[in-house]
C-alpha cells in the first residue's frame, strides 16, 4: 500500500527515540520559529512542498489538514482533522504563523492522500479567512493554470475577485505562485480517441518553454527559498519568473534580484 512520504506509521520508529524526543526540552530557537499549516498536501507537488518545508528546519511544527485523524512518522508534523465543507464552522487550530494552500487533487493510488483535505478554488476566500483567524500572517497560494493559457494582463496582479478578497484580509505577507499545471495523461480508449489525444498533445510544443510546468521538486524549493527572504506585502510570481528561477544555478540570486527590483511582485 502506497503512503505519503511524511505520513508513515509510527510503528517504524524506535519507541525509545520517541520517548527521548518527547522528554527533550524545547530550545529558545525552536520556540522562535513560526508554525506552518498546509492545505492540499496531495499529489506530486503537495508531497514535495510538505517534505521540503517540514524538513527545512525553518518551522517549529507543521500541521496538515485532513478529513480524519492520522498518525505521522515525524514529531514535527501532525494532522489537523477538519470535518465538513463549511469552513467557517471549523474549530480554530492552535496559533500558527505561516499557511500554504495548494489545489492539486490526491493521487488515487496513494491511500493516505485520499484522507488529506484538498481545497477547491471556490473555497479559497473562506479558507483564507479561517487561516487568518488561526493567526496566519504569511500566506502562500500555489495557483495552477493551463500551460500557455494565463492572460498577460493577469500575470502580474490579482486575477480574480477571490484573490482580491484574500489580499484584503490583512495578512502581513501574501505570495501567489502562478504555476503551469501538469496535464493529466489521457485515459485509454478507442483508436480514434487515442489518435485525437495524440494530435492535441502536439500543441504543447507550441507553448514557450517559460510557460511550461516546472518539476514539483524545484517548485517546492522555490517556495522554501522565497519564504526565507519574503518581505511584507503582496507578491505575485509569474510563470516566466518561476521558470527563470528553477533554471538558474543559484535560485536564491534570482529571488533576491526579483524582490530587490520590486518588478512582477507587488500588487495593489
Amino acid at each position: 500500500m502506497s503512503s505519503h512520504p511524511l505520513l508513515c506509521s509510527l510503528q517504524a520508529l524506535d519507541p525509545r527515540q520517541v520517548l527521548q524526543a518527547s522528554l527533550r526540552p524545547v530550545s529558545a530557537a525552536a520556540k522562535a520559529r513560526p508554525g506552518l499549516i498546509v492545505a492540499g498536501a496531495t499529489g506530486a507537488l503537495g508531497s514535495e512542498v510538505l517534505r521540503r518545508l517540514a524538513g527545512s528546519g525553518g518551522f517549529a511544527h507543521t500541521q496538515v489538514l485532513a478529513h480524519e485523524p492520522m498518525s505521522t512518522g515525524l514529531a514535527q508534523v501532525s494532522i489537523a482533522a477538519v470535518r465538513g465543507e463549511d469552513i467557517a464552522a471549523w474549530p480554530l487550530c492552535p496559533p500558527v504563523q505561516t499557511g500554504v494552500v495548494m489545489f492539486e487533487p490526491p493521487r488515487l493510488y496513494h491511500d493516505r492522500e485520499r484522507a488529506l483535505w484538498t481545497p477547491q478554488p471556490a473555497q479559497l476566500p473562506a479558507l483564507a479567512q479561517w487561516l487568518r483567524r488561526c493567526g496566519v500572517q504569511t500566506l502562500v497560494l500555489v495557483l495552477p493554470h493551463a500551460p500557455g493559457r494565463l492572460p498577460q494582463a493577469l500575470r502580474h496582479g490579482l486575477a480574480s475577485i477571490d484573490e482580491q478578497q484574500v489580499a484584503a484580509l490583512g495578512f502581513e505577507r501574501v505570495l501567489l505562485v502562478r504555476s503551469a499545471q501538469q496535464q493529466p495523461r489521457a485515459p485509454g480508449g478507442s483508436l480514434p480517441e487515442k489518435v485525437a489525444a495524440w494530435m492535441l498533445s502536439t500543441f504543447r510544443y507550441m507553448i514557450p518553454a517559460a510557460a511550461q510546468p516546472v518539476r514539483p521538486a524545484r517548485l517546492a524549493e522555490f517556495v522554501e527559498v522565497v519564504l526565507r527572504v519574503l518581505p511584507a506585502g503582496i507578491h505575485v510570481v509569474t510563470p516566466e519568473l518561476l521558470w527563470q528561477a528553477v533554471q538558474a544555478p543559484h535560485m536564491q540570486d534570482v529571488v533576491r534580484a526579483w524582490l530587490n527590483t520590486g518588478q512582477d511582485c507587488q500588487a495593489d
Side-chain angles (χ1 to χ4, degrees):
M1 181 176 65
S2 300
S3 63
H4 197 287
L6 286 179
L7 303 179
C8 56
S9 172
L10 282 170
Q11 295 177 352
L13 297 178
D14 186 336
R16 292 171 299 181
Q17 295 177 343
V18 176
L19 179 59
Q20 291 171 359
S22 63
L23 296 177
R24 188 177 301 120
V26 179
S27 65
K31 291 181 180 179
R33 287 179 295 166
L36 172 69
I37 188 167
V38 180
T42 51
L45 175 60
S47 177
E48 285 292 340
V49 170
L50 177 59
R51 181 190 66 82
R52 187 94 192 186
L53 296 183
S56 67
F59 298 95
H61 191 79
T62 299
Q63 301 177 67
V64 183
L65 296 186
H67 292 291
E68 57 191 50
M70 300 168 58
S71 61
T72 69
L74 292 175
Q76 69 268 28
V77 179
S78 64
I79 295 298
V82 293
R83 303 299 179 112
E85 296 303 316
D86 185 6
I87 299 176
W90 288 355
L92 299 182
C93 67
V96 65
Q97 293 75 39
T98 302
V100 177
V101 179
M102 294 166 286
F103 299 93
E104 188 173 4
R107 295 166 290 189
L108 297 181
Y109 53 87
H110 284 236
D111 292 336
R112 286 181 178 267
E113 284 194 5
R114 285 181 287 182
L116 299 178
W117 186 81
T118 303
Q120 299 298 318
Q123 295 175 305
L124 176 58
L127 178 60
Q129 291 176 19
W130 181 78
L131 290 171
R132 189 70 187 88
R133 294 199 303 271
C134 290
V136 169
Q137 291 289 340
T138 300
L139 179 64
V140 179
L141 304 176
V142 182
L143 302 168
H145 62 84
R149 300 286 184 87
L150 186 65
Q152 185 68 33
L154 302 182
R155 298 188 182 194
H156 304 277
L158 302 177
S160 66
I161 295 177
D162 287 349
E163 292 181 9
Q164 293 174 8
Q165 291 178 351
V166 171
L169 290 176
F171 291 99
E172 184 177 345
R173 301 173 186 84
V174 176
L175 176 68
L176 297 94
V177 182
R178 303 206 186 283
S179 172
Q181 189 175 34
Q182 294 282 356
Q183 297 301 297
R185 293 184 178 180
S190 63
L191 180 59
E193 290 174 337
K194 291 180 179 179
V195 172
W198 172 80
M199 293 179 66
L200 291 174
S201 69
T202 59
F203 287 104
R204 72 177 184 270
Y205 297 108
M206 302 174 62
I207 300 175
Q212 295 280 359
V214 301
R215 291 190 295 115
R218 294 292 281 166
L219 178 51
E221 181 183 357
F222 176 84
V223 171
E224 180 195 356
V225 169
V226 174
L227 280 176
R228 293 178 192 163
V229 295
L230 188 67
I234 301 169
H235 309 269
V236 180
V237 177
T238 65
E240 293 80 8
L241 173 62
L242 180 60
W243 180 264
Q244 179 186 0
V246 301
Q247 299 299 318
H250 302 288
M251 184 183 293
Q252 60 272 20
D253 293 341
V254 176
V255 169
R256 288 194 179 95
W258 163 60
L259 292 173
N260 287 336
T261 59
Q263 296 178 355
D264 298 340
C265 64
Q266 293 287 1
D268 298 327

